């Protein structure tokens, strides 16, 4: 899967592709079928892991059939049953028993989102390592601090990098908390009526749900068909990531302006060129990261709008709008995470230019310091304070998110 109009989308690879969604839904069905057999609700002969029954070549067929029922699971089940009939008729009979479309689609979405979270988590770790090096290595690199686009007071680049690090750690922690997405098993109206009818006991049904969820590596939660906080929370965590990365990209874009030239992206052959101006070396990674940060909040808002539109025991459109929105938001966040990790790994810090710009900003940039300490020499306004801020960020980076 690639997106011609979202350069860099190929970085997301197989995350949340149509084929990945089909695979995730088949996994959900297989986990439930295995639980039914394991607890004696379905006969032993119905056991089947469904491996190999559905592949990427089936995407067009399922996609074409999805409109008739309003979701892709219905044509997927038709395909699965037709193929099971030849190898395991009992499995075909027991497939999907006690479930509803939303159970399988929601659980499939959760599995795809978890895969995205794994990729983002790896890139956040790489970003954190790079930012720790920058913050610690540039404790004494002086530069102008700027507020509201104007010179403010002298700072160090180490402090700026520590600020970037703090935002990245906020994203790491937010993602860690949101990524514990639960399985969805509720039956037709979220009442568990069909599973209880099959199993003959609510206690057995609870065991069935726990077994299926454990097979998928997911936590258990009571049915959340119309209580969408797990998904809105995950969408918000993705936006926290792109917010942090957008903030870094914005500083790089400003710092890379020729008249400032305090920062620059690492040079990669063929990157940053212009179709008409051979003199240009555009900061392409930063531009694309900023693009993702600008787009992400509106995608999360759509997920919230869907949650707010929930009605009855399954929403009429509010649920449906989540699917492609979450896919788009997840893939774009994975892409931006990879781009940010690369940006930070290759970032060039032009220390001489930072020092020169600070010198050019004097004496005005020292006004605050002199107003507090008349006659003070030019330099860092508050000796020691910056080191404490950097040390606190570095200590937090060494912690494992809960």
């Amino acid at each position: 899967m690639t997106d011609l109009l979202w350069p860099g989308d190929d970085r997301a690879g197989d995350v949340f592709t149509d084929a990945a969604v089909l695979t995730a839904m088949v996994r959900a069905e297989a986990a439930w079928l295995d639980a039914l057999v394991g607890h004696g609700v379905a006969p032993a002969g119905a056991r089947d892991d469904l491996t190999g029954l559905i592949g990427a070549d089936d995407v067009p067929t399922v996609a074409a059939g999805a409109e008739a029922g309003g979701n892709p699971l219905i044509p997927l089940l038709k395909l699965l049953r037709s193929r099971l009939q030849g190898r395991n008729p009992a499995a075909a009979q027991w497939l999907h028993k006690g479930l509803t479309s939303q159970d399988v689609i929601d659980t499939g979405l959760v599995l795809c989102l978890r895969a995205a979270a794994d990729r983002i988590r790896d890139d956040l770790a790489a970003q954190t390592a790079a930012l720790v090096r920058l913050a610690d290595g540039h404790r004494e690199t002086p530069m102008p601090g700027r507020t509201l686009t104007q010179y403010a007071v002298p700072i160090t680049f180490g402090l700026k990098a520590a600020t970037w690090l703090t935002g990245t750690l906020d994203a790491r922690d937010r993602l860690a908390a949101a990524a514990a997405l639960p399985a969805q098993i509720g039956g037709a109206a979220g009442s568990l009526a069909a599973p209880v009818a099959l199993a003959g006991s609510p206690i057995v049904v609870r065991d069935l749900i726990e077994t299926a969820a454990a097979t998928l590596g997911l936590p258990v939660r009571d049915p959340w068909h119309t209580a969408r906080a797990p998904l809105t929370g995950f969408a918000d965590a993705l936006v926290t990531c792109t917010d942090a990365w957008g903030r870094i990209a914005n500083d790089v874009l400003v710092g890379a302006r020729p008249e400032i030239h305090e920062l620059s992206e690492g040079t990669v052959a063929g990157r940053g060129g212009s179709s008409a101006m051979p003199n240009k070396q555009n900061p392409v990674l930063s531009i694309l990261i900023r693009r993702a940060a600008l787009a992400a909040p509106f995608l999360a808002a759509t997920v919230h709008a869907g949650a707010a539109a929930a009605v009855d025991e399954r929403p009429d459109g509010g649920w449906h709008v989540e699917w492609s929105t979450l896919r788009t938001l997840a893939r774009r966040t994975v892409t931006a995470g990879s781009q940010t990790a690369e940006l930070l790994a290759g970032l060039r810090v032009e220390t001489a230019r930072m020092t020169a710009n600070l010198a050019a900003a004097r004496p005005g940039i020292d006004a605050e310091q002199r107003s507090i300490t008349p006659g003070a020499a030019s330099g860092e306004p508050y000796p020691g304070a910056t080191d404490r801020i950097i040390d606190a960020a570095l200590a937090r980076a060494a912690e494992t998110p809960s």
Side-chain angles (χ1 to χ4, degrees):
M1 176 176 177
T2 57
D3 186 341
L4 184 67
L5 299 181
W6 196 263
D9 177 75
D10 57 295
R11 289 175 181 256
D14 294 334
V15 171
F16 231 132
T17 60
D18 285 341
V21 173
L22 287 187
T23 298
M25 291 193 294
V26 171
R27 286 181 61 198
E29 291 282 2
W32 180 248
L33 181 60
D34 189 62
L36 291 176
V37 173
H39 286 271
V41 177
R47 189 183 298 276
D48 197 303
D49 65 7
L50 311 185
T51 299
L53 283 177
I54 298 294
D57 291 344
D58 294 309
V59 168
T61 299
V62 175
E67 185 178 16
N71 74 63
L73 183 68
I74 296 172
L76 175 61
L77 286 172
K78 182 179 179 180
L79 265 183
L80 283 170
R81 286 182 176 127
S82 69
R83 292 171 183 177
L84 279 170
Q85 285 294 346
R87 85 178 198 187
N88 191 338
Q93 177 187 350
W94 281 91
L95 182 71
H96 196 66
K97 285 278 190 181
L99 299 179
T100 191
S101 296
Q102 186 167 4
D103 293 334
V104 182
I105 292 173
D106 280 355
T107 301
L109 291 175
V110 163
L111 291 172
C112 289
L113 290 171
R114 187 177 65 176
D118 289 343
R119 285 282 305 276
I120 296 165
R121 191 179 294 111
D122 289 344
D123 283 323
L124 283 166
Q127 295 161 23
T128 297
L131 287 168
V132 165
R133 291 193 297 270
L134 288 170
D136 198 29
H138 288 278
R139 289 173 179 271
E140 306 300 329
T141 302
M143 66 175 293
R146 299 174 175 90
T147 62
L148 305 179
T149 77
Q150 305 298 299
Y151 289 135
V153 297
I155 63 169
T156 68
F157 181 66
L159 176 64
K160 181 178 285 291
T163 303
W164 294 353
L165 175 58
T166 296
T168 300
L169 295 175
D170 289 342
R172 177 197 69 178
D173 294 347
R174 186 75 177 271
L175 183 66
L181 293 163
Q184 172 79 277
I185 299 175
S191 66
L192 294 172
V196 171
L198 280 175
S201 164
I203 296 174
V204 175
V205 168
R206 183 69 180 182
D207 291 341
L208 286 169
I209 293 171
E210 290 177 352
T211 298
T215 298
L216 298 170
L218 300 176
V220 173
R221 173 178 166 147
D222 286 333
W224 47 281
H225 287 180
T226 55
R228 309 305 281 172
L231 297 185
T232 58
F234 192 88
D236 291 343
L238 295 182
V239 174
T240 301
C241 291
T242 58
D243 286 350
W245 304 334
R247 185 263 186 278
I248 294 169
N250 291 338
D251 271 353
V252 175
L253 288 168
V254 170
R257 290 175 179 269
E259 62 271 24
I260 297 177
H261 194 54
E262 294 173 354
L263 298 169
S264 60
E265 293 187 0
T267 302
V268 174
R271 179 181 290 160
S274 165
S275 66
M277 295 167 283
N279 59 299
K280 294 195 72 180
Q281 186 68 42
N282 297 315
V284 172
L285 284 176
S286 299
I287 291 167
L288 296 180
I289 294 163
R290 173 174 162 79
R291 161 204 66 176
L294 292 172
F298 301 97
L299 293 167
T302 299
V303 179
H304 278 278
V311 63
D312 299 325
E313 282 61 60
R314 185 172 306 145
D316 52 349
W319 173 49
H320 304 72
V321 77
E322 294 172 348
W323 312 338
S324 65
T325 304
L326 284 167
R327 190 241 294 279
T328 300
L329 178 56
R331 284 187 64 85
R332 289 181 177 182
T333 306
V334 169
T335 296
S338 172
Q339 291 166 334
T340 305
E342 183 177 340
L343 169 67
L344 291 172
L347 188 67
R348 295 180 177 181
V349 182
E350 310 292 347
T351 57
R353 188 59 177 260
M354 288 178 174
T355 300
N357 286 344
L358 179 57
R362 287 183 161 133
I365 200 168
D366 296 313
E368 181 195 60
Q369 181 183 8
R370 291 193 173 122
S371 71
I372 295 170
T373 310
S378 296
E380 178 66 26
Y382 308 110
T386 294
D387 276 337
R388 285 193 291 274
I389 295 169
I390 293 172
D391 287 341
L394 298 185
R396 185 178 166 198
E399 298 172 355
T400 301
S402 56

